[in-house]
Amino acid sequence: MTAHRHVLPARRSAAFEVDKGQTVRVVNTHGGQVVDTWAFKPGDMSEFMSMEHARVHMGRVQPIAGSTLLSNRRNAMLTLIEDTSGGVRDTLMAACDVHRYRMLGCTTDHDNCTDNLHAALAAIGIKAAETPSPLNLFQNSSVGADGSLVIAPPIATAGSHVTLRADMDLIVVFSACPQDMVQTNGADMTPKDVELQFS
């Protein structure tokens, strides 16, 4: 893949083929936007970036600069090499889906990251048999002292970013999370566009 930029519209997703050694900078253009992120092995969609395997390898719940995220076969997929967004991201939460929005009281169809993943893959002629748990960039989720799961507005400011390096050839999918019923995407609960910079 050659160097280029891609604006990911609010509520939408896109899939990209990324070569080993290439980097992707995810820019939180307006601040406060969560970006669900997946990675798959080209030619074998049964191998994908796995949050449970990554947490064991990192010894952490949240990756930091230098942390490598593993596949479900414990192969290195992505390494977080730079962060100017405040160091907050999530590896615990499943991608939002129609069922999540129904539980929140939504009575109509709602854009969601699960559908976004599969739509992005379909756009490049690929299918995935399941929806892996994503790396939720910029999402401000944490475990409270009592073991509770706390979701707060992101702290990422406008123009802040994280940079990921591909540790193998990958298919990477990004979804600008459409959550607008809780504060996942900020106190204003308004999904926004982000910018992807490939180099």
Side-chain angles (χ1 to χ4, degrees):
M1 174 181 287
T2 57
H4 73 281
R5 298 186 177 195
H6 178 90
V7 175
L8 189 62
R11 302 176 179 270
R12 296 295 176 254
S13 59
F16 305 89
E17 294 181 359
V18 180
D19 297 331
K20 180 180 179 180
Q22 285 200 295
T23 63
V24 185
R25 175 174 290 179
V26 184
V27 182
N28 210 315
T29 308
H30 308 282
Q33 176 62 41
V34 168
V35 181
D36 287 37
T37 305
W38 295 268
F40 299 85
K41 182 179 179 180
D44 183 2
M45 296 295 284
S46 67
E47 182 168 5
F48 49 80
M49 186 169 65
S50 166
M51 293 303 96
E52 55 266 42
H53 292 83
R55 287 192 295 267
V56 171
H57 176 68
M58 296 184 300
R60 304 179 52 84
V61 172
Q62 291 193 5
I64 58 175
S67 294
T68 296
L69 296 133
L70 302 187
S71 76
N72 55 323
R73 295 175 191 158
R74 303 190 193 270
N75 293 312
M77 285 200 139
L78 287 172
T79 296
L80 197 159
I81 61 172
E82 184 184 25
D83 174 31
T84 68
S85 69
V88 175
R89 60 206 114 254
D90 170 73
T91 66
L92 299 174
M93 300 285 287
C96 60
D97 53 30
V98 293
H99 312 293
R100 166 76 167 146
Y101 288 107
R102 286 174 186 152
M103 292 175 73
L104 289 172
C106 185
T107 57
T108 60
D109 288 340
H110 196 291
D111 294 326
N112 64 84
C113 287
T114 295
D115 288 348
N116 279 357
L117 166 66
H118 296 284
L121 290 173
I124 61 171
I126 296 174
K127 292 183 179 180
E130 59 185 296
T131 303
S133 185
L135 168 63
N136 296 304
L137 295 174
F138 313 114
Q139 183 164 322
N140 191 4
S141 299
S142 60
V143 178
D146 61 353
S148 60
L149 186 60
V150 180
I151 302 174
I155 65 171
T157 56
S160 63
H161 67 266
V162 298
T163 304
L164 303 166
R165 183 191 67 223
D167 295 322
M168 64 167 70
D169 291 348
L170 293 172
I171 296 166
V172 181
V173 182
F174 299 97
S175 173
C177 183
Q179 176 61 262
D180 57 6
M181 299 184 72
V182 296
Q183 295 185 342
T184 300
N185 289 313
D188 62 355
M189 297 188 289
T190 302
K192 308 168 186 72
D193 61 277
V194 296
E195 182 174 306
L196 308 171
Q197 301 174 358
F198 297 85
S199 60

